Amino acid sequence: MNDEEHKRMEHFGRLKPPEFSGVKSEDAQDFIDRDELRRQFEQLRQEGMSVTQYEMRFSELDRYAIWLVPTERERISRFIDGLKYGLHFIMTREIPSGVRFDEVVDISRRLEQVHSQEREERQAKRPRSSGVVSSALSGGHSHQGPPL
């Protein structure tokens, strides 16, 4: 067994996977549940979650699909692939090789925070109008302006 395979086996052993004896029905149910959790991991995307929520769910589920992310680099790649488009785009371009998973998560959180602050600043700078144009300007008729 080479060093990489040995590291994978150690990592897998630390996850304490259940043993399937084939005798107890709950063993079979546990494996069915693990299969569903593996599918959830494969389909996991950040979508409406914060980076923190996404990372927590990712870390809960990745143990059920250890063969999909056997190395730190593959785990990082899959995490980045599930991020929202803007974060995914930046992270794919900017992350140096050799970075650890926890560093990728921290960078993603900081980028998310910067994007959130920028969005709030843009919204604060928007002119606040009631959407009703003066009746003098519209020939005596009032109407709604386009949505901002």
Side-chain angles (χ1 to χ4, degrees):
M1 190 180 312
N2 66 34
D3 286 342
E4 185 65 29
E5 290 171 333
H6 185 69
K7 287 179 186 177
R8 287 182 196 168
M9 290 302 292
E10 283 181 354
H11 180 68
F12 184 74
R14 283 188 297 242
L15 296 175
K16 300 195 184 334
E19 293 181 21
F20 182 64
S21 66
V23 176
K24 297 180 183 177
S25 62
E26 56 268 9
D27 283 348
Q29 184 60 48
D30 187 45
F31 273 86
I32 291 169
D33 293 344
R34 285 174 65 86
D35 192 45
E36 174 58 29
L37 293 169
R38 177 196 49 82
R39 272 192 229 106
Q40 288 179 24
F41 177 73
E42 289 176 328
Q43 297 170 359
L44 182 63
R45 300 289 177 267
Q46 181 186 5
E47 295 172 348
M49 295 181 270
S50 69
V51 169
T52 299
Q53 292 167 324
Y54 170 61
E55 184 275 329
M56 288 173 62
R57 187 66 178 150
F58 184 93
S59 293
E60 287 173 5
L61 295 173
D62 73 345
R63 74 185 85 206
Y64 300 104
I66 192 71
W67 56 91
L68 293 174
V69 288
T71 66
E72 181 84 351
R73 191 75 209 144
E74 289 167 311
R75 187 173 187 230
I76 290 168
S77 179
R78 187 166 283 266
F79 178 82
I80 290 172
D81 286 346
L83 290 170
K84 291 178 185 175
Y85 176 77
L87 286 175
H88 174 265
F89 181 77
I90 292 169
M91 296 294 287
T92 301
R93 291 185 48 200
E94 302 299 328
I95 294 299
S97 62
V99 69
R100 294 186 327 261
F101 181 78
D102 60 323
E103 293 171 321
V104 168
V105 173
D106 288 341
I107 293 167
S108 299
R109 284 185 186 126
R110 281 186 261 140
L111 286 170
E112 179 180 57
Q113 186 176 20
V114 167
H115 283 284
S116 178
Q117 288 172 344
E118 288 174 347
R119 190 172 36 253
E120 288 173 8
E121 288 174 8
R122 279 195 308 271
Q123 289 175 349
K125 290 180 182 178
R126 277 190 184 162
R128 303 209 186 269
S129 68
S130 64
V132 177
V133 177
S134 164
S135 62
L137 293 175
S138 62
H141 305 300
S142 67
H143 63 279
Q144 291 278 332
L148 297 177

